[in-house]
PDB file of all heavy atoms in Angstrom:
ATOM      1  N   ALA A  92      91.508 114.022 114.880  1.00 95.00           N
ATOM      2  CA  ALA A  92      91.740 112.684 115.471  1.00 95.00           C
ATOM      3  C   ALA A  92      90.736 112.476 116.575  1.00 95.00           C
ATOM      4  O   ALA A  92      90.303 113.476 117.223  1.00 95.00           O
ATOM      5  CB  ALA A  92      93.197 112.595 116.009  1.00 95.00           C
ATOM      6  N   SER A  93      90.419 111.221 116.841  1.00 92.00           N
ATOM      7  CA  SER A  93      89.548 110.904 117.919  1.00 92.00           C
ATOM      8  C   SER A  93      89.792 109.517 118.465  1.00 92.00           C
ATOM      9  O   SER A  93      90.512 108.678 117.829  1.00 92.00           O
ATOM     10  CB  SER A  93      88.072 110.997 117.476  1.00 92.00           C
ATOM     11  OG  SER A  93      87.696 109.885 116.694  1.00 92.00           O
ATOM     12  N   ARG A  94      89.252 109.243 119.687  1.00 87.00           N
ATOM     13  CA  ARG A  94      89.342 107.977 120.270  1.00 87.00           C
ATOM     14  C   ARG A  94      87.991 107.427 120.351  1.00 87.00           C
ATOM     15  O   ARG A  94      86.979 108.080 120.737  1.00 87.00           O
ATOM     16  CB  ARG A  94      89.878 108.084 121.706  1.00 87.00           C
ATOM     17  CG  ARG A  94      91.298 108.570 121.815  1.00 87.00           C
ATOM     18  CD  ARG A  94      91.675 108.610 123.271  1.00 87.00           C
ATOM     19  NE  ARG A  94      91.090 109.698 123.959  1.00 87.00           N
ATOM     20  CZ  ARG A  94      90.929 109.695 125.271  1.00 87.00           C
ATOM     21  NH1 ARG A  94      91.367 108.746 126.070  1.00 87.00           N
ATOM     22  NH2 ARG A  94      90.333 110.779 125.862  1.00 87.00           N
ATOM     23  N   GLY A  95      87.851 106.099 120.059  1.00 71.00           N
ATOM     24  CA  GLY A  95      86.535 105.506 120.081  1.00 71.00           C
ATOM     25  C   GLY A  95      85.906 105.560 121.495  1.00 71.00           C
ATOM     26  O   GLY A  95      84.728 105.578 121.643  1.00 71.00           O
ATOM     27  N   SER A  96      86.731 105.554 122.527  1.00 61.00           N
ATOM     28  CA  SER A  96      86.250 105.543 123.929  1.00 61.00           C
ATOM     29  C   SER A  96      85.598 106.845 124.334  1.00 61.00           C
ATOM     30  O   SER A  96      84.943 106.912 125.336  1.00 61.00           O
ATOM     31  CB  SER A  96      87.366 105.180 124.888  1.00 61.00           C
ATOM     32  OG  SER A  96      88.385 106.212 124.823  1.00 61.00           O
ATOM     33  N   THR A  97      85.816 107.930 123.546  1.00 60.00           N
ATOM     34  CA  THR A  97      85.257 109.248 123.962  1.00 60.00           C
ATOM     35  C   THR A  97      84.119 109.663 123.050  1.00 60.00           C
ATOM     36  O   THR A  97      83.847 110.802 122.754  1.00 60.00           O
ATOM     37  CB  THR A  97      86.374 110.348 123.939  1.00 60.00           C
ATOM     38  OG1 THR A  97      86.908 110.373 122.635  1.00 60.00           O
ATOM     39  CG2 THR A  97      87.394 110.102 124.938  1.00 60.00           C
ATOM     40  N   LEU A  98      83.342 108.691 122.570  1.00 62.00           N
ATOM     41  CA  LEU A  98      82.143 108.886 121.810  1.00 62.00           C
ATOM     42  C   LEU A  98      82.308 109.803 120.632  1.00 62.00           C
ATOM     43  O   LEU A  98      81.472 110.594 120.235  1.00 62.00           O
ATOM     44  CB  LEU A  98      81.093 109.538 122.699  1.00 62.00           C
ATOM     45  CG  LEU A  98      80.640 108.716 123.896  1.00 62.00           C
ATOM     46  CD1 LEU A  98      79.674 109.482 124.772  1.00 62.00           C
ATOM     47  CD2 LEU A  98      79.920 107.421 123.396  1.00 62.00           C
ATOM     48  N   GLY A  99      83.533 109.680 119.992  1.00 73.00           N
ATOM     49  CA  GLY A  99      83.771 110.367 118.735  1.00 73.00           C
ATOM     50  C   GLY A  99      84.200 111.850 118.894  1.00 73.00           C
ATOM     51  O   GLY A  99      84.176 112.581 117.883  1.00 73.00           O
ATOM     52  N   ARG A 100      84.515 112.366 120.075  1.00 86.00           N
ATOM     53  CA  ARG A 100      84.957 113.708 120.185  1.00 86.00           C
ATOM     54  C   ARG A 100      86.212 113.882 119.302  1.00 86.00           C
ATOM     55  O   ARG A 100      87.185 113.184 119.413  1.00 86.00           O
ATOM     56  CB  ARG A 100      85.354 114.012 121.678  1.00 86.00           C
ATOM     57  CG  ARG A 100      85.618 115.502 121.955  1.00 86.00           C
ATOM     58  CD  ARG A 100      86.778 115.648 122.870  1.00 86.00           C
ATOM     59  NE  ARG A 100      86.819 116.988 123.472  1.00 86.00           N
ATOM     60  CZ  ARG A 100      87.491 118.037 122.923  1.00 86.00           C
ATOM     61  NH1 ARG A 100      88.092 117.829 121.739  1.00 86.00           N
ATOM     62  NH2 ARG A 100      87.524 119.178 123.521  1.00 86.00           N
ATOM     63  N   LEU A 101      86.105 114.897 118.438  1.00 92.00           N
ATOM     64  CA  LEU A 101      87.189 115.156 117.477  1.00 92.00           C
ATOM     65  C   LEU A 101      88.104 116.271 118.000  1.00 92.00           C
ATOM     66  O   LEU A 101      87.637 117.289 118.521  1.00 92.00           O
ATOM     67  CB  LEU A 101      86.577 115.626 116.161  1.00 92.00           C
ATOM     68  CG  LEU A 101      85.921 114.526 115.328  1.00 92.00           C
ATOM     69  CD1 LEU A 101      85.116 115.113 114.178  1.00 92.00           C
ATOM     70  CD2 LEU A 101      86.910 113.497 114.777  1.00 92.00           C
ATOM     71  N   TYR A 102      89.382 116.066 117.824  1.00 93.00           N
ATOM     72  CA  TYR A 102      90.368 117.056 118.101  1.00 93.00           C
ATOM     73  C   TYR A 102      90.854 117.531 116.750  1.00 93.00           C
ATOM     74  O   TYR A 102      91.443 116.747 115.989  1.00 93.00           O
ATOM     75  CB  TYR A 102      91.511 116.452 118.933  1.00 93.00           C
ATOM     76  CG  TYR A 102      91.061 116.002 120.307  1.00 93.00           C
ATOM     77  CD1 TYR A 102      90.492 114.766 120.505  1.00 93.00           C
ATOM     78  CD2 TYR A 102      91.197 116.909 121.403  1.00 93.00           C
ATOM     79  CE1 TYR A 102      90.103 114.351 121.790  1.00 93.00           C
ATOM     80  CE2 TYR A 102      90.774 116.469 122.695  1.00 93.00           C
ATOM     81  CZ  TYR A 102      90.207 115.218 122.833  1.00 93.00           C
ATOM     82  OH  TYR A 102      89.825 114.855 124.093  1.00 93.00           O
ATOM     83  N   PHE A 103      90.629 118.852 116.494  1.00 96.00           N
ATOM     84  CA  PHE A 103      90.946 119.371 115.136  1.00 96.00           C
ATOM     85  C   PHE A 103      92.296 120.068 115.051  1.00 96.00           C
ATOM     86  O   PHE A 103      92.778 120.627 116.080  1.00 96.00           O
ATOM     87  CB  PHE A 103      89.958 120.447 114.805  1.00 96.00           C
ATOM     88  CG  PHE A 103      88.660 119.843 114.278  1.00 96.00           C
ATOM     89  CD1 PHE A 103      87.609 119.582 115.138  1.00 96.00           C
ATOM     90  CD2 PHE A 103      88.450 119.569 112.913  1.00 96.00           C
ATOM     91  CE1 PHE A 103      86.429 119.027 114.709  1.00 96.00           C
ATOM     92  CE2 PHE A 103      87.266 119.026 112.501  1.00 96.00           C
ATOM     93  CZ  PHE A 103      86.254 118.748 113.375  1.00 96.00           C
ATOM     94  N   GLY A 104      92.983 119.975 113.899  1.00 97.00           N
ATOM     95  CA  GLY A 104      94.078 120.820 113.667  1.00 97.00           C
ATOM     96  C   GLY A 104      93.622 122.203 113.399  1.00 97.00           C
ATOM     97  O   GLY A 104      92.401 122.480 113.294  1.00 97.00           O
ATOM     98  N   ARG A 105      94.546 123.170 113.163  1.00 96.00           N
ATOM     99  CA  ARG A 105      94.153 124.577 112.995  1.00 96.00           C
ATOM    100  C   ARG A 105      93.690 124.864 111.616  1.00 96.00           C
ATOM    101  O   ARG A 105      93.134 125.926 111.385  1.00 96.00           O
ATOM    102  CB  ARG A 105      95.374 125.455 113.332  1.00 96.00           C
ATOM    103  CG  ARG A 105      95.754 125.419 114.824  1.00 96.00           C
ATOM    104  CD  ARG A 105      96.747 126.547 115.115  1.00 96.00           C
ATOM    105  NE  ARG A 105      97.264 126.479 116.494  1.00 96.00           N
ATOM    106  CZ  ARG A 105      96.674 127.017 117.575  1.00 96.00           C
ATOM    107  NH1 ARG A 105      95.507 127.669 117.419  1.00 96.00           N
ATOM    108  NH2 ARG A 105      97.182 126.911 118.733  1.00 96.00           N
TER     109      ARG A 105
END
Side-chain angles (χ1 to χ4, degrees):
Chain A
S93 75
R94 294 181 289 159
S96 63
T97 55
L98 298 174
R100 189 217 196 274
L101 288 168
Y102 295 86
F103 282 91
R105 293 190 186 275

